[in-house]
Amino acid sequence: MSSHPVVIDEPGKRVLLMGNEAIVRGAVEAGVDVATAYPGTPSSEIGATFARIAEATGLYFEWSANEKVAFEVAYGASMCNQRSMVAMKHVGLNVALDVLNPVSLRGVKAGLVFISTDDPSQHSSRTEQDNRWLAKQNCVPVLEPSSPQEAKDLTRVGFELSERLGLPVMLRTVTRLSHMRSDVSLGPIEESGREVGFDWEGFSYRVAGFEKLFRRHKERHEKLDRAQAEFEDFEYNELKLKGGERLGIIGVGFSYNYVIDALRKAGLGDDVAYLKLITPHPLPERLVSKLLTSVDRVLVVEEVDPFVELHVKALAKDIAPGLEVMGRMSGHLPREGELSPMLLDGALAGILGTSSETEDRTDLEEESSKLLFDRMLTLCAGCPHRASLYALKKAVQAVKGDLMGVVVNGDIGCYGLAHAPPLNFEDTYFCMGASIGVSQGMAKVGVDTIAWIGDGTFFHAGIPGLINAVVNNTPIKVVVADNEIIAMTGFQPTPQTGRTAMGKPTKRIMIEDIARAAGVEHVEVVDPNDLEAAEAAFRRMLEAEGVAMVIARRLCATEALRAMRPDKPVPYLVDADACTGCKICQNQFGCPALVWDDEAGRARVDSTLCTGCGACVQVCPVGAIRISEVA
Amino acid sequence: MNAFRLVISGVGGQGTLLASRLLAQSAIEAGLPVKIGETYGMAQRGGPVMGHIQIGEGVDSPQMRPAEADALLGFELGEAVRRGITYLRRGGLALVNTRKLPPVEVISGMVEYPSQDSLLSLLKKVTEEVVAFDATALAEEAGDPITTNVVILGALTASGMLPFGEETVVNVLRESLRPAYFEMNRRAFELGKEGYVKALGN
Ligand code: SF4
Ligand code: SF4
């Protein structure tokens, strides 16, 4: 789609961009050649945007099998003089860490910028890990933009920096930046046009010699020194210091917004010195020292760990021993979680001994939380995972005599919601693919388990674990909740979908083929919406010797609706005369399209939500649910 | 001029994100800076969605403080009240769609959905300016419940609070929506305007 604002070639035009889209625009302006990603909130729109514009711009984009592969693909291109970008959520970098290390040691040829979208306060992640530590561990310079405009500009700058230094550069966002939208002023688009060719002198053992390439820790440190020197005069770092201020504030990346808003609200714009710090690593020590030696107290504001604060403390020890350093370590700001304008108002008021004027609404909020439900997350109407879980519970009850007869180890995806009511059938989930691994440790010591893993996650990190179970004779039972797509992050294809990121047909790699090739002898594929057949398949799996797998395959209901547009599904209905009001369809199955009609004391189907999947028909003990029209 | 601040609340799939984008695009057309902060986690799975839109100078953080919003666009009754009591300023305008989308706790019989009266009287502790109407019914009248977001945009435009005119919004609608959908959305917009005036009269 050439009309996407990310590819408009009108420098100076103001367009509305989300932080993640602005990153893609920055890459386009830098003439990026190759982009890769693995989806994960809050990063997914980066890849989704690349997928939309790749063809129009002539760049190459792929959703890679996992973050490590994504990083390697990008690195391969960089060694051949092509600018490359790789995007992932923060925990994705844990997966890619194994390759980040040699990339930073060996260096890059054409610019390589990787995006880590961190998630303070865990809006959609299991952790709020701060990836700046990983950048530090691997001597990688970090750029932390404060706005979509800067996200765009710094992406472009990041490519140049990466090339000048010969290091990969990390662009780090937080959820609030990735997902915020604002007006962004576009810059010129650079033609790619770099000559393709492997840099033999830079990377080849045969040409450059093994010894020269192998031990590079010293070179890496020297590159980082050069990065530090550049950051001392980096135009995006901004020191506002007139002299005579008692208090200084360092606002790092996105957190700078909170600082400025709080200062504006308190009317303190002129009385407090501040440093907007876009480069947390390596820390521009001379620049920071200017502030530290001019004030009595300094407050460091950043998300989510006290990364800069710790460095500032170390620095202050030498150059400003009397300075009070405040932040997350001193208790002036909370130790965990994202910040907010309110938190900064409060911190400033506490430090200056003033009062912050924001009206307190906690009493009303308490009243509302007493009155109002929380609105728990739930699987969509018609979700095939609901049917799978319903049938799986029946099978476990029948075979084990007790739903607690197995530990259900879940995994990362929509189906992770198996723990939610009314299905309540999941005990753990940890990280991509862990269901298959932890189930083996439990099985080895005699605890029965079910590994409950999605199709996308199986491809990402489930396969080595499955092979491990087979070769070690660990008889785990694996249910693949196969909705034929990576639904949770925005409906990206899996290797089984049969199309690339750009929608081009490609080979389908079937999970059952992989499982059989890995030596799993008991493999069945079943449609979960056929509850009876699914239950029978799950029973056979539970009773089988050795490693056994059932692939419960049916397309994600939401994707199915998207695919049939503008047509709509034919909804089901509850025959009010037949319905006995037993509520089984709600209390045990819980499709959001099955609502309770208080006045009638009967269940009712909300025809605007029903996806016409028909699974509930088999749940009703008196057969009161049927399709509304005969097709 | 102070920034115009707006909170949008609803449930995943209700088109709140599109409503925010249409308003922000209108602001850009009117030459004003704009910031949208969105909270949607796993909205696909029926979770709550909230957007903060701030139009005008002097705004850096995309998140507002409590009691700062000039207006609330509540796409779903319960969610409107949840966000309104936190973010709406005293005397701010609350536009509330009275349609309920019961969450799974209600569907599976764990709790009940509170009554409209109890919810709205809680909201009225913050502001008397509560304009409540069944926007989804108007959207159905326009041709598809999916246009609820545009009905609510019409109501907001009729309130006269926006720092730009109706024409700007309608132009953005025309440019942003596929031609096949524009007429239906145009109807939804008009019904929203009328709905606002009628609800004011009640
Ligand atoms: S047919 Fe039944 S289970 Fe399927 S979406 Fe409709 S109400 Fe839900
Ligand atoms: S998006 Fe698809 S897979 Fe995820 S809960 Fe909804 S229907 Fe199920």
Side-chain angles (χ1 to χ4, degrees), chain B residues 17 35 40 44 50 54 61 74-75 85 87 89 99 111 122 124-125 134 136 160 164 168 170 172 187 194:
Chain B
L17 300 182
K35 300 223 154 38
Y40 49 85
Q44 208 79 45
M50 173 170 59
Q54 302 178 83
S61 160
F75 280 52
I85 56 130
Y87 289 104
R89 68 166 162 79
R99 254 323 151 88
V111 292
L122 180 56
K124 284 190 178 144
K125 292 190 178 178
D134 189 341
T136 310
F164 39 78
T168 311
V170 174
V172 167
R187 274 201 301 282
E194 289 164 25

Side-chain angles (χ1 to χ4, degrees), chain A residues 593-617:
Chain A
L594 285 161
V595 293
W596 186 247
D597 185 336
D598 249 336
E599 271 160 45
R602 296 284 179 268
R604 185 171 60 77
V605 172
D606 180 334
S607 60
T608 62
L609 290 179
C610 178
T611 68
C613 77
C616 56
V617 171

Side-chain angles (χ1 to χ4, degrees), chain B residues 14-16 18-20 22 73 75 133 135 138-139 142 144-158 169-170 173-174 177 181-193:
Chain B
Q14 280 194 303
T16 52
L18 179 60
S20 315
L22 292 170
L73 302 189
F75 280 52
F133 62 104
L138 295 178
D144 194 320
I146 201 90
T147 59
T148 304
N149 50 8
V150 176
V151 170
I152 294 174
L153 280 189
L156 175 66
T157 309
V169 186
V170 174
L173 275 179
R174 187 178 292 115
L177 301 173
Y181 292 103
F182 175 68
E183 275 317 312
M184 181 169 75
N185 279 285
R186 184 69 231 242
R187 274 201 301 282
F189 189 80
E190 290 301 324
L191 285 167
K193 280 166 56 191

Side-chain angles (χ1 to χ4, degrees), chain A residues 264 345 361 365 367 375, chain B residues 60 65 79 86 88 125:
Chain A
R264 187 185 292 122
D345 293 345
R361 292 275 172 91
E365 282 167 355
E367 217 177 306
R375 194 173 290 278
Chain B
D60 285 278
R65 301 174 172 85
E79 295 309 316
T86 298
L88 203 54
K125 292 190 178 178

Side-chain angles (χ1 to χ4, degrees), chain A residues 223-233 282-285:
Chain A
K223 289 175 180 176
L224 206 62
D225 291 342
R226 289 207 297 280
Q228 187 178 35
E230 285 211 26
F231 289 168
E232 298 288 1
D233 312 303
L283 192 70
E285 294 192 351

